[in-house]
Amino acid sequence: MEALIPVINKLQDVFNTVGADIIQLPQIAVVGTQSSGKSSVLEALVGRDLLPRGTGVVTRRPLILQLVHVDPEDRRKTSEENGVDGEEWGKFLHTKSKIYTDFDEIRLEIEAETERVSGNNKGITDEPIHLKIFSPHVVNLTLVDLPGITKVPVGDQPKDIELQIKDLIVKHISNPNSIILAVTAANTDMATSEALKVAREVDPDGRRTLAVVTKLDLMDAGTDAMDVLMGRVIPVKLGLIGVVNRSQLDINNKKTVADAIRDEYAFLQKKYPSLANRNGTKYLARTLNRLLMHHIRDCLPELKTRINVLAAQYQSLLSSYGEPVDDQSSTLLQLITKFAAEYCHTIEGTAKYIETTELCGGARICYIFHETFGRTLESVDPLGGLTTIDVLTAIRNATGPRPALFVPEVSFELLVKRQVKRLEDPSLRCVELVHEEMQRIIQHCSNYSTQELLRFPKLHDAIVEVVTSLLRKRLPVTNEMVHNLVAIELAYINTKHPDFADACGLMNNNIEEQRRNRMRELPSSVPREKAAGGGPQGDQDGGTGNWRGMLKKGDEGMGGSMLQTSNPASPQRGHAVNLLDVPVPVSRKLSSREQRDCEVIERLIKSYFLIVRKNIQDSVPKAVMHFLVNHVKDSLQSELVGQLYKAGLLDDLLTESEDMAQRRNEAADMLKALQKASQVIAEIRETHLW
């Protein structure tokens, strides 16, 4: 199981080559306040001085430190291959293959790289520095040194430096595959430890937190850390380990880490003899190695699943980017054919990518026909905008100077045409809505169905222009046909239509039945011929249109004279009469015949209008389908080929977008890294390490 950590290091190297952190690998994140001894703990684990030191925030970028144990044979082999003179060396990711054997030079490189990215104003950044240390004196570990927690900005640090550092720390320790190494100085109150506090925020159960108590030798006289080390003050599930750091004086005097570890052992044996074998730097290194190995073993199944899922996603992404174009003619023809096919499939409802959030394509066209257009027509009132006075006026205008014995047919045709004409605007609006939907299908196909077009923005724009132009050309043709459908209905009012004839017969029966009912309700003293109004004489006696009745009433009421002087406004006897001066009543009560005539016309208009509306509701969708939808479907590919498949346009149309080649290369590199990572994990299973 010892070989699991090098496997993780290998995976880290794989993903470092593509500069990606999409996989959260198992590692140990070191957290602590400023001057808590974090750097000293890390240097003790490495066994060499290699980290920058100073006042304030020294660690301003995460340092991913991979410790690789090198056997003597491997060391000799590596020395021969790379020309390394020494048993320990380091390598930075950003300096590629350069090898550092001088650890002072490694420290200077860390400082220079930190200032290169973070600047020299004590600001921080989350871009990590990757350093790998090869040595026979280390155990296999992957550590992340994070900036120390601070409260007050110093110098020209940002005012929110505390929040920035905390966000950076939480980002790394939130990784469920990480172990949190919380460093706290022994000469501070453990109950107020900032490192343990931030660790508990992301790991409330403490399942992946290990506490390190530093500076055991600096506690106040008469006190010790026995209760702390025994876990009686702050219990931590993974345990607490005490260490003794080098003082600043020791560092200034060039005291080596090896000497410091010997002194640490002596101090623990003297001060805490019963706990000496469970504390100290060497025990910390072994414990971290053991915890990391077990943690890696637990994380590998989920890690394997994550890598496989990402590999499938990047494979799909790479496929969508397409291969570099070799045969331009073939590629162009394939893209045109695919777009035309997807456009037609979207209309027919057989597209590969079906929209689930809203109606699209053929389904929306169907909705326009049967819901939007159908309901709009049904909401049109057959007698809308038509008053009884309009009907009566039309009847009178159709009779000319002669009183009518029957309702004139011309008035019916005049009025019904006026009502049928109202169906034209909803019909043309239906054409417009279908045209808009067919325009939307272009964008739908571009977004979902043919992502390859995104590689070639000029080809995409050209296809959109050709399809838009084709739709634009078909719009006036379709509008003209719909206009003609209404004009056809207006051209000939077919009163012999079977449905209309049935309605007229039923209406006549109703009128006759109403006449019989009125006859039965009359008193027996009223003469039948007068009550029935049989003939023109009977109908007009009681009406205002009967001139005989007017004369008779005039003789009875005015002594046989039509002129009266009682009204000051009436013309005087012996003077000329100006009929235009006679006031016309604005409103009056209609006579029974007028009411009956208007009622007949209104019923006929409604009956015939419903017949025409039914015809229009059926014929307009058919016309739109034939002249617009089906015509575009049938001629789309030939139109695209005719307009775009030209030798002079190939180079221009198949020019990729600027970033497409870069994205394809990045996706290919990531896919290669994921496949290599999958192979590494497969090797673990084969060697029974997992």
Side-chain angles (χ1 to χ4, degrees):
M1 198 164 65
E2 178 71 25
L4 285 176
I5 296 178
V7 168
I8 293 300
N9 291 341
K10 189 181 295 185
L11 289 177
Q12 184 71 60
D13 294 341
V14 168
F15 292 115
N16 286 344
T17 58
V18 292
D21 56 356
I22 57 173
I23 296 290
Q24 294 180 318
L25 296 173
Q27 56 192 10
I28 300 172
V30 185
V31 182
T33 58
Q34 285 185 24
S35 303
S36 62
K38 286 191 305 91
S39 297
S40 296
V41 171
L42 290 173
E43 288 182 337
L45 293 174
V46 176
R48 299 293 293 266
D49 293 331
L50 77 163
L51 298 177
R53 292 184 176 274
T55 59
V57 180
V58 178
T59 304
R60 295 187 288 128
R61 291 178 61 182
L63 174 64
I64 299 179
L65 181 62
Q66 292 177 262
L67 304 183
V68 182
H69 178 77
V70 182
D71 291 330
E73 293 184 3
D74 295 335
R75 178 166 54 83
R76 284 195 298 271
K77 182 178 178 182
T78 305
S79 300
E80 294 173 359
E81 292 177 353
N82 300 318
V84 177
D85 184 15
E87 61 178 9
E88 298 176 304
W89 68 92
K91 291 175 66 175
F92 287 98
L93 177 65
H94 63 272
T95 58
K96 305 303 179 184
S97 58
K98 183 177 180 180
I99 294 177
Y100 296 81
T101 55
D102 185 349
F103 282 79
D104 289 335
E105 190 178 354
I106 290 178
R107 181 175 62 253
L108 294 175
E109 180 61 31
I110 293 175
E111 293 175 350
E113 181 65 12
T114 298
E115 292 191 1
R116 185 183 67 82
V117 176
S118 304
N120 53 9
N121 63 345
K122 300 296 183 180
I124 67 169
T125 180
D126 62 352
E127 184 178 344
I129 298 174
H130 292 267
L131 172 61
K132 187 178 290 188
I133 299 295
F134 300 85
S135 171
H137 307 299
V138 299
V139 295
N140 291 312
L141 286 175
T142 300
L143 302 153
V144 182
D145 185 20
L146 297 170
I149 301 172
T150 185
K151 291 292 184 181
V152 181
V154 295
D156 53 356
Q157 284 182 339
K159 292 183 178 180
D160 63 340
I161 187 68
E162 178 187 1
L163 183 60
Q164 288 186 28
I165 292 176
K166 183 176 180 181
D167 290 343
L168 177 59
I169 291 173
V170 170
K171 175 183 175 182
H172 282 269
I173 65 176
S174 297
N175 173 10
N177 295 334
S178 68
I179 294 175
I180 305 171
L181 189 65
V183 179
T184 304
N187 56 359
T188 61
D189 188 355
M190 287 288 291
T192 61
S193 170
E194 288 292 332
L196 289 174
K197 178 183 175 183
V198 73
R200 279 189 174 178
E201 291 181 7
V202 297
D203 182 33
D205 297 333
R207 295 181 181 277
R208 51 189 183 89
T209 300
L210 174 67
V212 175
V213 181
T214 62
K215 304 182 181 181
L216 292 176
D217 56 332
L218 297 182
M219 298 188 68
D220 293 339
T223 63
D224 60 30
M226 184 65 71
D227 289 341
V228 172
L229 296 177
M230 293 292 290
R232 296 170 186 159
V233 178
I234 300 292
V236 180
K237 288 191 177 181
L238 295 185
L240 293 96
I241 299 176
V243 297
V244 177
N245 300 337
R246 290 181 299 167
S247 65
Q248 188 62 46
L249 179 62
D250 293 336
I251 296 172
N252 294 339
N253 293 334
K254 303 296 182 180
K255 183 177 182 179
T256 65
V257 174
D259 292 340
I261 291 176
R262 281 195 296 270
D263 292 345
E264 175 193 52
Y265 180 75
F267 174 83
L268 291 174
Q269 288 290 345
K270 178 181 178 181
K271 190 73 174 177
Y272 306 98
S274 62
L275 301 178
N277 61 338
R278 286 185 282 125
N279 289 277
T281 301
K282 289 187 176 181
Y283 180 76
L284 173 62
R286 293 195 302 271
T287 302
L288 289 176
N289 178 263
R290 175 177 53 82
L291 290 176
L292 187 57
M293 283 191 297
H294 286 284
H295 195 62
I296 291 171
R297 184 191 59 189
D298 295 338
C299 295
L300 275 178
E302 184 180 350
L303 194 62
K304 178 178 180 293
T305 302
R306 172 69 174 161
I307 289 174
N308 291 338
V309 169
L310 285 174
Q313 291 177 353
Y314 273 92
Q315 181 65 62
S316 176
L317 182 63
L318 187 61
S319 299
S320 69
Y321 292 154
E323 298 295 331
V325 178
D326 295 326
D327 188 345
Q328 290 185 329
S329 299
S330 175
T331 301
L332 179 60
L333 191 58
Q334 287 176 2
L335 290 174
I336 289 175
T337 302
K338 185 170 183 179
F339 179 87
E342 290 295 339
Y343 190 93
C344 296
H345 291 161
T346 303
I347 294 176
E348 295 165 358
T350 57
K352 182 179 179 182
Y353 298 93
I354 296 179
E355 184 66 59
T356 57
T357 58
E358 62 177 352
L359 292 178
C360 177
R364 191 171 185 85
I365 292 174
C366 178
Y367 183 87
I368 292 170
F369 285 157
H370 302 293
E371 299 292 333
T372 307
F373 177 58
R375 290 182 179 178
T376 302
L377 289 188
E378 290 173 1
S379 68
V380 177
D381 183 6
L383 301 175
L386 198 63
T387 65
T388 304
I389 296 300
D390 294 337
V391 176
L392 186 59
T393 302
I395 294 174
R396 288 184 171 181
N397 285 337
T399 60
R402 295 174 300 282
L405 299 179
F406 305 100
V407 178
E409 189 174 335
V410 175
S411 61
F412 163 71
E413 289 198 6
L414 175 69
L415 293 172
V416 81
K417 285 182 178 179
R418 171 179 165 181
Q419 297 306 101
V420 169
K421 183 70 175 174
R422 298 169 61 217
L423 298 176
E424 183 173 3
D425 285 344
S427 301
L428 293 176
R429 177 58 181 160
C430 175
V431 178
E432 184 180 348
L433 290 175
V434 174
H435 176 267
E436 290 175 359
E437 178 56 27
M438 297 191 71
Q439 193 74 36
R440 287 178 67 243
I441 295 175
I442 303 174
Q443 191 63 37
H444 174 82
C445 292
S446 301
N447 291 341
Y448 298 100
S449 303
T450 52
Q451 293 187 4
E452 295 92 336
L453 283 179
L454 300 178
R455 294 177 57 195
F456 311 108
K458 291 186 177 180
L459 175 60
H460 175 266
D461 294 343
I463 288 177
V464 171
E465 179 60 32
V466 171
V467 181
T468 302
S469 176
L470 178 59
L471 291 171
R472 195 185 304 120
K473 286 191 296 184
R474 297 307 301 173
L475 185 59
V477 177
T478 310
N479 282 336
E480 181 66 21
M481 182 60 200
V482 171
H483 173 77
N484 287 338
L485 288 175
V486 179
I488 288 170
E489 297 291 346
L490 297 174
Y492 180 64
I493 305 301
N494 182 17
T495 55
K496 292 295 184 180
H497 192 284
D499 295 340
F500 186 68
D502 293 343
C504 290
L506 182 61
M507 184 177 62
N508 289 335
N509 293 337
N510 291 338
I511 294 174
E512 182 63 24
E513 182 66 26
Q514 291 174 6
R515 188 184 69 79
R516 291 195 187 98
N517 292 337
R518 287 198 302 270
M519 292 278 293
R520 283 194 291 269
E521 293 171 359
L522 289 174
S524 58
S525 60
V526 179
R528 286 289 173 184
E529 61 275 6
K530 186 174 293 187
Q537 181 75 23
D539 275 345
Q540 296 176 4
D541 278 350
T544 58
N546 190 330
W547 58 275
R548 288 191 181 88
M550 291 175 64
L551 285 177
K552 183 177 180 180
K553 291 179 180 178
D555 289 343
E556 292 173 355
M558 297 180 288
S561 174
M562 294 182 62
L563 300 176
Q564 290 291 331
T565 59
S566 60
N567 188 352
S570 63
Q572 301 297 320
R573 185 185 300 275
H575 289 82
V577 178
N578 185 358
L579 295 178
L580 297 178
D581 290 340
V582 177
V584 179
V586 177
S587 62
R588 61 181 176 81
K589 184 177 180 181
L590 300 181
S591 67
S592 60
R593 175 172 178 172
E594 288 174 336
Q595 288 180 345
R596 187 172 67 250
D597 290 349
C598 289
E599 197 173 301
V600 169
I601 290 294
E602 288 176 353
R603 289 184 179 181
L604 291 174
I605 290 173
K606 184 174 182 180
S607 175
Y608 195 82
F609 179 88
L610 294 178
I611 294 171
V612 175
R613 186 175 72 182
K614 184 178 179 181
N615 294 340
I616 293 296
Q617 192 170 351
D618 179 64
S619 58
V620 167
K622 292 178 179 178
V624 174
M625 286 299 297
H626 176 72
F627 286 92
L628 181 60
V629 180
N630 290 343
H631 187 279
V632 170
K633 280 173 52 182
D634 296 339
S635 59
L636 178 59
Q637 181 165 352
S638 59
E639 189 77 14
L640 288 171
V641 172
Q643 295 286 340
L644 304 178
Y645 192 65
K646 298 176 181 178
L649 298 176
L650 290 177
D651 290 336
D652 187 48
L653 293 178
L654 294 180
T655 300
E656 285 189 314
S657 58
E658 296 180 357
D659 61 338
M660 183 57 68
Q662 179 182 352
R663 283 190 287 175
R664 186 193 298 111
N665 293 335
E666 290 175 354
D669 292 342
M670 181 58 69
L671 179 60
K672 188 181 298 183
L674 289 167
Q675 290 172 342
K676 187 178 296 184
S678 183
Q679 292 175 359
V680 170
I681 293 180
E683 292 174 1
I684 299 176
R685 296 186 67 92
E686 292 176 1
T687 54
H688 306 287
L689 292 175
W690 178 8

